[in-house]
Amino acid sequence: MKSKFLASVLAISLSGLAQAQSADELFSRVEVRSGRAQIIQNVDATQTVRSGSSVTLQGKAHLEVPAGSEVRVSYPGQASLHVWGPASLDWQSVPSPQTAGQSSIVWNLFQTTWVDLEVRRGDHALNLPGDWHAQIDGGSLRMRGLASGPLEMRLNAGRPVRVFWNGDVSQARPPMTIYPGSNIRLEQPSEVKTDLSSQSKRWQDPTWPYRRNADTPEQARERAAQPQRLTQAPAWPAPEVLKLDEAQPEARVETNRSGQPVTQAQVPSTPVVDRIQVQPQETVKTPARSMPEPQGQRGSQAAVAVSTNFDREQWRGVAQDNITDCGAFAVEQRKGVEVRVFAGGKTKVLVDRWQGSQTWVMTPGQDYHLAPGCVALFNERGELEMSHGGVESFPAAQGRPLFSQVR
């Protein structure tokens, strides 16, 4: 009897604990391992935590991690974060859309340098820079900020993570999936003209706004009375001679062997002879030809690459020190421009969307002007295979050698 009473009391305690966990209360522990961190929970209160200290928080909070600092945030029994500065993020608890009566954590990442996220239990949401959103229900995820885009995500272990675009509908992007052991790069689409068709004026009349018949009844009857085709086609060629203007020569009609008329024009038959003047031509003595070189020596000299002087006009006005040699083509060295060479011989040129500037890629056949936010892929021959963003093409300079042949 006593055991039944204890069992009932324990069941009541566990149900109360479950109700406390399902409420809008989230417990977190912030531990500063190096540097410092700032925690904001109220509008007028900012808490600074130094290296080697920790603090326990309840409810939503905002965390600022400066450069050179390392902070670990743990949510007992649910998840943990490992943050390297500079970084800016916040978190809050919301009702779980998957499990009734449970709560989920929603992280909003505003700036990331290096963040490791580990989810052990529950279904949680992650709002990322560049209007991207991810739903995580278990696993280990690493996020790294990039200069050419919002960030790069790598799933170390766990279930596949689906990433969705939450931006403007006129700039829609397809969702992406990260599988264990793989990574993806998130990019913000370039700005395009916003679709304003939904704001146009609607028809007030429910019928078709244009008339079915463009003519009036009188015009329709008059059109129907007109003949639609000729009664008899004229003979060809024309049996009668057309009258020509006085400025043109007179015409006369003759018949050929088949008896059909042929029109000819009378023109003066007196030949006109142009006077030709003959002038003596001076003879120029040419020096004696030297003996031709053997074929083997010619081939060996042609095979040797000849170095030429650097002509700035042939290289779009770019200085020689600001050009990177990529084999079959050359790339202008600018701030925010990254060049990646792959094992298959292909080269990718990335221009940072925010910190980059327009740069030249000069190939043997075409010169390409890449705008900020552009990504271009070239093969081993210097041909453009694919691109994303603003790319302008121009004809290459005539007679321009390879950059490796310039001294």
Side-chain angles (χ1 to χ4, degrees):
M1 188 72 181
K2 184 177 181 180
S3 60
K4 292 182 179 180
F5 177 74
L6 293 176
S8 59
V9 172
L10 181 60
I12 294 173
S13 302
L14 292 177
S15 62
L17 179 61
Q19 293 177 2
Q21 291 179 352
S22 62
D24 190 13
E25 294 294 340
L26 177 65
F27 293 92
S28 59
R29 182 177 179 83
V30 180
E31 178 185 356
V32 180
R33 297 188 175 182
S34 64
R36 60 185 177 87
Q38 291 183 346
I39 302 173
I40 304 173
Q41 284 192 299
N42 298 323
V43 178
D44 300 331
T46 301
Q47 184 178 3
T48 303
V49 184
R50 303 291 178 179
S51 176
S53 302
S54 62
V55 63
T56 302
L57 306 176
Q58 182 178 0
K60 60 183 180 179
H62 181 92
L63 179 64
E64 290 286 340
V65 182
S69 301
E70 180 182 355
V71 178
R72 187 178 187 273
V73 184
S74 59
Y75 308 88
Q78 291 182 314
S80 63
L81 280 175
H82 205 169
V83 184
W84 286 266
S88 177
L89 67 153
D90 64 15
W91 60 83
Q92 60 182 339
S93 177
V94 297
S96 176
Q98 304 294 335
T99 307
Q102 298 294 331
S103 61
S104 299
I105 306 175
V106 177
W107 291 283
N108 297 316
L109 273 66
F110 306 104
Q111 180 184 5
T112 57
T113 300
W114 200 287
V115 176
D116 288 345
L117 172 62
E118 180 185 1
V119 176
R120 293 181 293 275
R121 187 178 63 183
D123 188 7
H124 309 287
L126 188 63
N127 295 323
L128 304 170
D131 296 331
W132 291 97
H133 171 79
Q135 201 76 21
I136 306 174
D137 57 354
S140 176
L141 186 66
R142 169 166 290 181
M143 292 161 285
R144 180 172 66 95
L146 300 175
S148 59
L151 53 85
E152 184 180 43
M153 303 178 65
R154 176 178 178 81
L155 183 61
N156 297 323
R159 300 183 183 91
V161 177
R162 193 79 164 170
V163 184
F164 300 90
W165 165 258
N166 288 337
D168 192 356
V169 294
S170 63
Q171 303 175 359
R173 300 292 297 273
M176 295 184 291
T177 304
I178 318 174
Y179 295 95
S182 62
N183 59 341
I184 61 172
R185 172 172 292 188
L186 304 180
E187 294 183 356
Q188 187 174 4
S190 58
E191 297 182 359
V192 297
K193 187 176 181 180
T194 306
D195 185 11
L196 301 178
S197 58
S198 60
Q199 303 178 7
S200 59
K201 185 179 179 181
R202 298 181 180 181
W203 292 344
Q204 301 298 331
D205 191 357
T207 59
W208 183 250
Y210 306 105
R211 293 184 301 173
R212 295 183 179 276
N213 297 325
D215 298 338
T216 60
E218 292 77 8
Q219 293 176 346
R221 287 192 295 270
E222 182 180 356
R223 184 182 297 274
Q226 296 178 357
Q228 299 296 327
R229 61 181 61 184
L230 298 177
T231 56
Q232 184 178 1
W236 182 262
E240 57 184 6
V241 181
L242 299 177
K243 295 183 179 180
L244 303 178
D245 298 337
E246 296 180 359
Q248 298 180 354
E250 297 180 357
R252 57 188 178 85
V253 179
E254 295 183 359
T255 57
N256 53 13
R257 295 181 179 180
S258 60
Q260 296 180 355
V262 178
T263 304
Q264 296 182 354
Q266 295 181 355
V267 296
S269 59
T270 305
V272 178
V273 179
D274 296 334
R275 182 174 298 178
I276 302 175
Q277 298 180 357
V278 180
Q279 297 180 357
Q281 183 177 3
E282 298 180 358
T283 58
V284 180
K285 295 183 180 181
T286 58
R289 295 183 179 179
S290 58
M291 294 298 294
E293 297 179 358
Q295 295 293 333
Q297 297 181 3
R298 288 185 181 179
S300 61
Q301 293 179 0
V304 178
V306 180
S307 300
T308 59
N309 294 327
F310 179 79
D311 188 2
R312 191 164 182 173
E313 295 182 356
Q314 292 182 340
W315 300 92
R316 297 293 176 179
V318 183
Q320 185 176 3
D321 297 338
N322 296 335
I323 298 177
T324 301
D325 185 13
C326 297
F329 62 97
V331 180
E332 181 185 3
Q333 300 177 4
R334 300 295 294 271
K335 181 181 178 181
V337 177
E338 183 181 357
V339 179
R340 296 184 181 181
V341 181
F342 299 93
K346 296 184 179 181
T347 305
K348 181 182 289 186
V349 181
L350 305 97
V351 184
D352 186 18
R353 187 182 308 279
W354 292 276
Q355 300 180 1
S357 55
Q358 293 184 346
T359 183
W360 283 102
V361 177
M362 292 159 280
T363 67
Q366 292 284 335
D367 292 346
Y368 301 95
H369 208 199
L370 276 57
C374 176
V375 179
L377 181 65
F378 299 88
N379 57 17
E380 61 277 5
R381 297 183 300 273
E383 300 173 351
L384 179 63
E385 289 194 350
M386 62 180 63
S387 63
H388 171 73
V391 179
E392 295 181 353
S393 60
F394 303 90
Q398 295 292 336
R400 183 177 64 192
L402 295 176
F403 190 72
S404 58
Q405 300 177 357
V406 177
R407 61 173 180 267

